[in-house]
Amino acid sequence: MKHFFYLGSLYLLCTAAFAQELPSEEKVYSGRFYLNLEYQLKGGLNLGGSTPIPFPQEIRAIKNFNPTLAFTVEANATHWLEHQQNWGIRSGLRYEMRGMKSDAEVKNYRTEIIGEGGELLKGYFTGETSTTVKNTYLTIPILAVYRVSPNWDFSFGPYFSLLLSKRFEGTVGEGHLRDPDPTGIKTSFTKENGATFDFSDQINPFQWGVQLGTAYQLTPKIQIYSDFSWGFNNLFKKDFETISFKLYSLNLNLGVAYRF
């Protein structure tokens, strides 16, 4: 609940910032709202996934990668700081999916897996892994916006995300697990006789990072845009030590925006 409180408070502070009065000679009204406020609805796809930075030696090769269909929907408002509308501050609410499927070849990869009999096995795995990630978030971006020309604008700033649903699971096969260290007791697996893992409950409920974007004005109302986001904190909770390296969320959001 505290994450909802923090996220809600942050959004209210952003909204209050938008509502600041301009100098009287620059004040223009349209009903209850200033004309220097601009509203958008955005819809698009997130392309990306969760990755270690830098790549650890345990991951020897990525054999297959699929960013999956990850949809985003956003409503935002831009408060232009001047009549010329060159500089502004933008914030809003975004519902987004972040997901991927990947197949990798690993060596001495620390993990926990569930055997055929339901027993929990811990150790160091060498072989092939397949991972599926599918998380959904409610995100607040807080961005500075610069309009380079009537058709182009750029944005940059932090974002804060609250986890709504989570999935991080997969399988291991064609390899072996050694316990309690890379030279310990060996348990072998095949594609037909593999094992599974599920770390969904270890997903960090709060994410934050930075977002960089650009948009091109196709018509007075329609834009196409691209937003790149880089997560700064670990995908997993702080006390999760099964995987020895951190994972960070990297996503490219491509879509269409409608301007009011």
Side-chain angles (χ1 to χ4, degrees):
M1 283 298 295
K2 66 179 182 180
H3 294 299
F4 279 101
F5 175 77
Y6 293 153
L7 207 57
S9 300
L10 184 62
Y11 182 70
L12 289 175
L13 285 173
C14 296
T15 304
F18 286 163
Q20 296 180 81
E21 287 196 3
L22 296 174
S24 58
E25 66 270 14
E26 296 183 6
K27 192 180 294 184
V28 183
Y29 290 97
S30 176
R32 293 175 60 189
F33 299 101
Y34 295 130
L35 285 176
N36 64 321
L37 275 178
E38 181 179 290
Y39 302 92
Q40 276 187 337
L41 285 177
K42 301 171 67 174
L45 291 175
N46 261 343
L47 304 175
S50 301
T51 182
I53 301 174
F55 240 58
Q57 62 180 2
E58 292 95 325
I59 301 178
R60 296 306 175 96
I62 300 296
K63 304 181 71 174
N64 183 53
F65 177 80
N66 180 1
T68 70
L69 285 177
F71 298 101
T72 69
V73 179
E74 177 180 329
N76 65 51
T78 303
H79 175 65
W80 295 106
L81 302 177
E82 53 188 358
H83 284 310
Q84 293 83 1
Q85 296 190 348
N86 292 325
W87 285 98
I89 302 172
R90 177 177 297 160
S91 187
L93 288 174
R94 178 167 69 240
Y95 172 86
E96 60 180 323
M97 301 167 62
R98 302 177 194 167
M100 69 173 191
K101 292 183 179 180
S102 67
D103 300 325
E105 185 178 317
V106 301
K107 183 176 182 179
N108 295 333
Y109 175 74
R110 194 168 72 191
T111 189
E112 294 180 357
I113 57 178
I114 303 171
E116 280 191 320
E119 70 278 13
L120 182 64
L121 304 173
K122 299 181 180 181
Y124 294 81
F125 180 77
T126 296
E128 297 179 355
T129 69
S130 179
T131 303
T132 298
V133 181
K134 188 175 182 180
N135 301 324
T136 60
Y137 295 88
L138 183 65
T139 297
I140 294 179
I142 304 174
L143 309 173
V145 185
Y146 177 60
R147 181 160 285 167
V148 181
S149 72
N151 291 331
W152 284 100
D153 64 61
F154 293 88
S155 59
F156 178 81
Y159 72 84
F160 305 90
S161 298
L162 182 68
L163 183 68
L164 299 179
S165 66
K166 54 196 177 183
R167 182 185 175 193
F168 191 107
E169 61 188 22
T171 60
V172 300
E174 290 297 328
H176 61 268
L177 182 80
R178 289 189 181 272
D179 179 32
D181 56 51
T183 61
I185 300 173
K186 181 178 178 180
T187 303
S188 297
F189 301 93
T190 65
K191 285 186 178 181
E192 295 76 22
N193 181 28
T196 63
F197 59 87
D198 189 345
F199 302 142
S200 301
D201 289 340
Q202 302 300 327
I203 299 295
N204 197 330
F206 186 74
Q207 293 279 307
W208 73 280
V210 68
Q211 177 179 314
L212 172 66
T214 184
Y216 178 75
Q217 199 76 35
L218 288 176
T219 73
K221 295 291 185 181
I222 303 295
Q223 284 184 328
I224 54 174
Y225 72 87
S226 64
D227 293 329
F228 176 73
S229 61
W230 184 329
F232 283 172
N233 62 330
N234 190 4
L235 180 72
F236 293 112
K237 297 175 181 178
K238 289 183 178 180
D239 58 356
F240 180 65
E241 299 179 348
T242 299
I243 295 179
S244 59
F245 47 82
K246 295 180 179 181
L247 292 177
Y248 299 94
S249 180
L250 300 178
N251 287 278
L252 178 64
N253 184 10
L254 302 175
V256 178
Y258 181 83
R259 185 173 70 176
F260 294 91

